[in-house]
Amino acid sequence: MPAKRTPRIKEGLPQPRGASWDGKGTNFALFSAHATKVEVCLFDDKGENELERIELPEYTNQIRHGYLPDVRPRAIYGYRVYGPYEPEAGHRFNPNKLLLDPYAVAHTGQLKWDPAVFGYKMESMDDTTFDERDSAPFMPKCAVVDPKFDWRGQGLLSEFRLPFDDTILYELHVKGFTKQFPGLAEHLRGTYAGLGAEPVIKYIKELGVTSVELLPIHFSINDRHLLEKGLTNYWGYNSIGFFAPDTRYAHDRTHALREFKEMVARFHDAGIEVILDVVYNHTAEGNEHGPTLSFRGIDNASYYRLLPGNPRQYINDTGTGNTLNLSHARVIQMVTDNLRYWVEQTRIDGFRFDLGTILAREPNGFDNQSGFLKACSQDPCLARVKLIAEPWDCGPGGYQVGGFPPGWAEWNDKFRDTTRKFWIGHAPPAELTGMLCASGEFFNHQGRRPWASINLSPLMMASL
């Protein structure tokens, strides 16, 4: 076990969250409403050996924080969080488990599935047991980053950003689209650098589309049951780090964030918007039998929706085992901070929200005046980018096409389905007419404009 030393740490600030380099040192700030102590753990350059554990000395408004003047960009770190291990009360703290920073903007390494990454004794499948094995050797780690980047005169909100009325979206997968792209250098295939290469962007431009919508690029993990079958989570809908581009798509994994920014800049040079498909409805930690990687060990009772009367178990409106608690102010803050981060730091032009209905759920169900939707609607940064909801989830009353508030656009599966039926002779022209006129029956309320209906191409959906 590394030495525990604290003399050089200063009190720091409770904001911004995460690890923030100021040119002289790094401020660490982590929210946890129920933790009793938080340690930041520093590793060697390879992320293999834990060098120090340093307790964050200050506690302000449920934020643990501290400042280390000698921690610089590329420093590798993680957290250990102390508190009660009481699954029946919703608490699953276990300081034997190294945890990823929810605000980390870069990661190194990949998860190695081992019983040690579970907070309980995994072999027993009894999540009320407590596991004392150290998970650090098997965990990916976080990295401190210098955020500076030369955008060569591009404004914060690019002048070419198009109104919805003129938008043609083209959904693609970073790796899949570039893996066998003709004429692209082999070492660039499957990468952000490859997607930003001149021949790729030229081809996309010639298609006539105005905006590329990238399937999830947030840092994610491969599910254990897939790896056991020799498979992988190709689509990426298994996020565990919302602030960081997945290093698996980077040609230069050490500088994945910079490579991602370069890709966005190349699209903007060509007058093409970049939209991100984002997955804030759940995380890769799964249900009560899942691993302890980040949120579960930091503050399970705050970050996740737990069953009323039985907080040992999770509400599963996503079909993936857990549901993020977008009724909690700090969780709303994390997601809106994240959206602003991608807009302000990487110049993203908009977002498509996977299972968007969940983001508007309150304890009584879907509410188009939920805290999260209100937070987005009043935000001056987010008001200037495209917000597109996938308006359904797996929970009660989850289908909400047309139900989102003004300022939001929605995937309109009614257009897709009606168009398909018309093509094969199962729908009359009269039924198609409303769809071709922006589905006003569902979207024409509260001053919402025709662009609120994102008409899905049947061919595109069939290809998925």
Side-chain angles (χ1 to χ4, degrees), residues 14 32 42 46 49 55 98 104 113 139 145 197 200-201 214 255 260 272 323 341 350 392 395 400 421 431:
S32 181
L42 302 178
K46 295 182 178 180
N49 298 306
E55 181 178 354
L98 187 77
W113 285 100
M139 284 287 293
V145 167
V200 177
I201 291 182
L214 305 183
H255 299 97
F260 180 86
I272 300 173
T323 304
Y341 171 82
W392 49 77
Q400 292 293 335
K421 289 192 294 183
E431 188 174 338

Side-chain angles (χ1 to χ4, degrees), residues 1 17 78 151 174 234 242 249 342 345 379 381 410 442:
M1 180 179 292
R17 305 297 178 269
W151 289 95
V174 172
Y234 174 78
F242 298 119
Y249 301 145
W342 288 101
Q345 291 295 321
D379 192 295
C381 174
E410 303 172 36
F442 307 103

Side-chain angles (χ1 to χ4, degrees), residues 141-325:
K141 313 297 190 300
C142 307
V144 178
V145 167
D146 184 346
K148 293 195 296 292
F149 184 80
D150 182 8
W151 289 95
R152 294 188 307 285
Q154 288 192 1
L156 179 61
L157 292 172
S158 304
E159 294 181 1
F160 68 82
R161 183 164 288 154
L162 296 170
F164 259 119
D165 290 344
D166 300 323
T167 300
I168 301 175
L169 293 162
Y170 187 66
E171 186 178 59
L172 61 84
H173 187 284
V174 172
K175 181 177 180 179
F177 190 82
T178 60
K179 194 61 177 177
Q180 299 187 62
F181 194 90
L184 188 62
E186 181 66 30
H187 69 283
L188 295 180
R189 294 182 177 183
T191 69
Y192 304 119
L195 188 58
E198 183 178 355
V200 177
I201 291 182
K202 180 181 178 182
Y203 171 78
I204 293 173
K205 186 76 172 178
E206 289 174 347
L207 292 176
V209 301
T210 66
S211 315
V212 293
E213 181 183 298
L214 305 183
L215 274 74
I217 54 84
H218 289 166
F219 185 71
S220 63
I221 65 170
N222 278 312
D223 313 76
R224 182 179 57 161
H225 68 275
L226 292 179
L227 292 177
E228 289 173 349
K229 297 176 181 178
L231 302 173
T232 186
N233 189 320
Y234 174 78
W235 299 107
Y237 289 90
N238 208 30
S239 303
I240 196 63
F242 298 119
F243 284 79
D246 200 312
T247 55
R248 288 176 292 184
Y249 301 145
H251 168 56
D252 180 359
R253 295 192 174 193
T254 304
H255 299 97
L257 179 61
R258 182 170 297 275
E259 184 177 324
F260 180 86
K261 290 180 178 181
E262 287 280 2
M263 177 203 71
V264 175
R266 298 290 77 74
F267 274 107
H268 284 181
D269 288 343
I272 300 173
E273 295 180 321
V274 180
I275 312 290
L276 293 187
D277 187 343
V278 288
V279 188
Y280 300 122
N281 52 74
H282 74 282
T283 78
E285 291 185 300
N287 63 15
E288 60 271 15
H289 291 124
T292 295
L293 308 175
S294 180
F295 307 95
R296 173 174 285 136
I298 293 171
D299 194 347
N300 184 68
S302 294
Y303 277 108
Y304 292 116
R305 292 193 186 276
L306 307 179
L307 281 176
N310 185 14
R312 176 182 168 187
Q313 296 184 335
Y314 297 78
I315 292 174
N316 186 20
D317 290 333
T318 64
T320 63
N322 66 52
T323 304
L324 269 183
N325 183 14

